[in-house]
Amino acid sequence: MVKNKNSFISLIIQEEKEENRGSVEFQICSFTNKIRRLTSHLELHKRDFLSQRGLRKILGKRQRLLVYLSKKNKVRYKKLMNQLGIREPKNR
């Protein structure tokens, strides 16, 4: 299943390379791709603390973009969450 998600993300990235790299959806897709690569790296290298820090920073950036998109356009937010297979964030 993870293979399908990664191929889907790469497909979205390839489609939007010519169109709009600065769009919120494109940025969230690229961050999701980086997050998946880093988590697979950290499964092998559990004590790589610099990669853990980088992962936390990317997660924070993606979270801020998702909050922005959810406030701006709920329909696009829901569609992107379903396409990428991201869970809804927990409310504080």
Side-chain angles (χ1 to χ4, degrees):
M1 180 139 179
V2 175
K3 275 266 195 222
N4 276 342
K5 289 180 185 175
N6 286 338
S7 63
F8 178 75
I9 291 170
S10 63
L11 180 71
I12 289 176
I13 290 172
Q14 287 174 358
E15 287 176 359
E16 293 203 8
K17 273 190 180 175
E18 296 84 22
E19 293 178 14
N20 191 2
R21 289 184 179 197
S23 71
V24 177
E25 289 92 348
F26 180 83
Q27 290 180 30
I28 292 172
C29 287
S30 63
F31 284 145
T32 303
N33 194 17
K34 286 180 185 179
I35 288 167
R36 290 198 173 118
R37 279 188 283 136
L38 273 174
T39 52
S40 66
H41 168 77
L42 287 171
E43 288 174 356
L44 296 174
H45 308 282
K46 297 185 187 324
R47 295 180 57 101
D48 188 355
F49 299 116
L50 291 177
S51 292
Q52 287 179 12
R53 180 175 184 262
L55 177 64
R56 285 192 299 269
K57 288 179 80 169
I58 293 171
L59 283 168
K61 288 179 185 179
R62 184 181 75 173
Q63 185 61 38
R64 285 191 297 275
L65 282 172
L66 285 170
V67 167
Y68 168 79
L69 186 62
S70 70
K71 289 179 182 176
K72 208 67 167 161
N73 191 337
K74 266 296 198 206
V75 175
R76 284 172 44 196
Y77 170 77
K78 289 285 187 186
K79 181 180 173 188
L80 187 66
M81 294 291 279
N82 288 333
Q83 286 176 342
L84 295 177
I86 302 172
R87 290 181 292 172
E88 290 284 327
K90 295 179 181 175
N91 294 339
R92 291 182 177 184

